[in-house]
Amino acid sequence: MTLKDVQARWAGHSPQVQDVKRAYAVLAPLVEGPEGLSLLFEVRADTLSHQPGEVCFPGGRVEAGETPQDCALRETWEELAIPPAEVEIIAPLDLVVQQGKFIMHPFLGVVSQGGMAAMCPSPAEVKRTFLVPLDWLRDNPPQVYSYELKPQVGEDFPYDRIGFPQGYRWRSGEVSVPVYPWPEGTIWGLTGRIVRHLIEEMT
C-alpha cells in the first residue's frame, strides 16, 4: 500500500460514526392550533412485527440514494399522507446514536393546515395519531428511569496478550429512559429522548 493509495481512499471523506451500520430518520411534526404549538405523534399499528402499539414520530430507514431529510419527508407521506410540500423543515435536531449500532436523524418541521387536512394515516402502519401541546411537555418533565449496560466478555478473551493477565476493568454504561404519561399514549424510549432534548433546548 502506497501513500497515493491512502490519499485516494480518504480524499473528500465525510466523517461518520464508527461501527454504525444503519441510519434512520424521523420528523418531529409541529402543528399550530388553538392550544398553540403541538407535536404530532403516531401509535404504530398492532399488526406490525416491530414495536407494535408504540408511540413514535413518522419515520423509517434511510434508503440508498436519499438524504435523511428526504427519508423523514417520504416516510411522513407514506405513513400519514402528508405531502412533503406541506412540511416546512425548521432544522435538523441533534443526532441520536443507539447501542444497537444505528443512528437516528430527527428533523423538526411545521405541518401546514393543508397538510393536516390531507392527513390520512395508513392503517397498515398507523393505528391512530394524537397531538400534545409543547406547553404541556415543557410544564410536565418526564419521569426518567435508567438501566445499566454491563460488558459481557467471553472467557476466551486474551487478557495475557494485552498485558492484563489479572483481567481488565471494563467500563459499564447507563441509558436513561424518559417517560411522558400522556393520556392518549405514553411517550417514551427513543421518541421520548428526542422530545426531552427538544424541550430542554427550547427552555
Side-chain angles (χ1 to χ4, degrees):
M1 183 178 294
T2 67
L3 177 58
K4 285 187 177 181
D5 293 332
V6 175
Q7 291 171 329
R9 167 60 186 84
W10 296 104
H13 177 70
S14 177
Q16 306 294 321
V17 180
Q18 287 189 20
D19 300 324
V20 167
K21 306 300 182 185
R22 293 165 291 160
Y24 294 84
V26 297
L27 177 69
L30 287 171
V31 179
E32 292 188 279
E35 296 183 297
L37 283 172
S38 295
L39 278 170
L40 173 65
F41 294 90
E42 301 177 353
V43 177
R44 292 170 60 83
D46 292 331
T47 53
L48 291 172
S49 59
H50 184 58
Q51 298 174 315
E54 289 193 15
V55 173
C56 66
F57 288 129
R61 189 166 184 173
V62 179
E63 296 182 352
E66 71 176 352
T67 67
Q69 179 173 313
D70 288 342
C71 171
L73 293 173
R74 172 182 57 77
E75 291 284 351
T76 301
W77 164 249
E78 292 177 359
E79 295 173 16
L80 299 177
I82 296 176
E86 300 295 336
V87 180
E88 177 189 351
I89 297 295
I90 295 175
L93 300 177
D94 290 342
L95 305 177
V96 181
V97 179
Q98 188 76 342
Q99 62 267 25
K101 295 188 177 181
F102 71 81
I103 190 167
M104 176 70 73
H105 299 260
F107 292 87
L108 182 64
V110 180
V111 179
S112 70
Q113 293 303 309
M116 289 301 292
M119 184 173 70
C120 182
S122 166
E125 298 191 68
V126 181
K127 184 177 181 179
R128 55 188 171 85
T129 64
F130 60 90
L131 296 169
V132 181
L134 283 185
D135 287 345
W136 185 89
L137 293 165
R138 179 198 61 201
D139 296 339
N140 295 271
Q143 302 162 2
V144 180
Y145 304 85
S146 63
Y147 61 89
E148 189 176 4
L149 297 175
K150 295 183 178 181
Q152 299 289 328
V153 183
E155 295 181 359
D156 61 342
F157 189 84
Y159 288 104
D160 288 336
R161 195 178 307 163
I162 66 170
F164 290 89
Q166 77 281 6
Y168 189 78
R169 187 175 179 180
W170 299 95
R171 291 186 179 182
S172 60
E174 186 177 85
V175 176
S176 66
V177 183
V179 177
Y180 293 88
W182 183 251
E184 295 180 73
T186 299
I187 303 158
W188 71 286
L190 199 60
T191 303
R193 288 171 62 187
I194 294 170
V195 171
R196 179 179 61 176
H197 185 70
L198 170 63
I199 297 301
E200 288 177 347
E201 290 296 310
M202 294 175 61
T203 54

